[in-house]
Amino acid sequence: MKTFYIETFGCQMNVHDSEKVIGTLLERGYSQTAEPADAELILYNTCSIRDKAEQKVFSRLQQFKKESGKGKVFGVLGCVAQQEGERIFDRAPHVSLVCGSASYNKLPELLVQIESGGRRVTGLSLDTEDTFETALTRRDNPHRAYITIIEGCDKSCAYCVVPFTRGPERSRTAESIFKEARELAQMGYTEIQLLGQNVNSYRDPSPDGMDFATLLRRVGEIDGLKRVRFTTSHPRDFVKEIIDAIDGNPVLCNHVHLPVQSGSDRVLSAMQRLYTHADYMRRIEWMKRSPRRIALSTDIIVGFPGETEQDFQQTMALVHEVGYDSMFSFKYSPRPNTAALGLEGTLDENEKGRRLAILQETQRSIQIRRNAELIGSREEVMVEGYNPGTAQWIGRTSQNRTLNFTDAAGRQFGPGQYLDVLVTRSGPNSLAGEAVN
Ligand code: 5AD
Ligand code: SF4
């Protein structure tokens, strides 16, 4: 029996890629282990978005180095694999397989080489045509499924490594997306998340060239689906029709993740984001005017080269102005190959840390306020599980908030079930409530 262990770092795209890799391995007769110690093949699906993420995989590889003599085979997949390529063999000589996400369709071939004792096997091409073999995907969650609609990224944000690790944009045909979504609905999945580095630039490669808003609308009409989400959006390609689609169909979740990165036009321009503060706010206005209460989340980078105190204050002003429901915020981290490496005005780590702390503290108080506004409202949740520690069920709302709840009638709920919950309390990161009969 051939055994493998896989650990995944990074974004939902990576999580979903791992589901495809797992399917491919199971198909080849491997079985998955929960512990690396029990596996013959140890895989890390890696992220290189910030230096910290990249370092994680090398420290993992170091940890298990002593095991390599005992016949274990190590493989590095994903973004660090693509970024570092064969250099990984120098940094961690016990690694045998290095494969980037654009080459996962070559994985069966690479595994054959590994199984016959191959050392230093690589899949690093970025120009593969057919990366969308989905039939083997082994989904982890029986209720919520990811579907990749577009791979890669054609933007060139000055800080970002993704165009180098995931290659140019490749949209999948709308027909194959609908087919997969319909099959998932028939299998009992009720929630679908459409994935891409920039879903808004989706364009069906077949002659009718369907755009993202139309695709979204059509996926929302598939029988059996109760929730459809999408991530990530780029403000430049985010059109009003997306909000119109959400307004028109409650299946499309009332949550939009729209990374802004900075509130300063000077910094946005240096980042090559292709929009201004005003362009961004126009999109926020569309959402605020929606009859549905659309939750808003974002990503922000502090300490980009040349960011002055005044630029940072403009980011803070934008954060107050928008009042995000949630936020991911980061200190700028220099990445290989990116344009920002050539910029002057590097900030020291302490100053980046100071700005990040101020931003996060402000966002925390905004979230306390935003969540408190929901007290007294009735929200539909999808049950995710039960927390014996707090004796509460865990639910998720359409707005993507965690809503923990109890039930006076003492009913039992299963993951994937939908019910209404009355919100009675709130905190910075979640809501609490009582199931409605
Ligand atoms: N440094 C810090 N944060 C980054 N991100 C992307 N690249 C970098 C970098 N070099 C952040 C952006 C992006 C999110 C996924 O990660 O905010 O939206
Ligand atoms: Fe990390 Fe970006 Fe790669 Fe996702 S696409 S794994 S966030 S580097």
Side-chain angles (χ1 to χ4, degrees), residues 6 43 59 77 123 141 171 174 208 213 227 231 248 279 290 293 328 331 334 339 343 352 368 377 388 405 410:
I6 187 165
L43 298 173
S59 78
L77 310 177
N141 180 313
S171 288
D208 71 335
R227 286 184 175 179
T231 198
D279 296 332
S290 162
R293 211 152 49 173
F328 299 96
K331 289 194 276 186
L343 297 178
K352 290 187 208 171
I368 290 174
S377 71
F405 62 97

Side-chain angles (χ1 to χ4, degrees), residues 8-19:
T8 306
F9 304 92
C11 62
Q12 282 137 317
M13 295 283 281
N14 255 20
V15 172
H16 185 40
D17 283 344
S18 285
E19 294 179 335

Side-chain angles (χ1 to χ4, degrees), residues 9-14 46-50 78-79 160-162 165-166 197:
F9 304 92
C11 62
Q12 282 137 317
M13 295 283 281
N14 255 20
T46 60
C47 173
S48 64
I49 197 86
R50 285 168 292 276
C79 291
C160 189
V161 79
V162 172
T165 64
R166 287 187 172 270
Q197 294 304 331

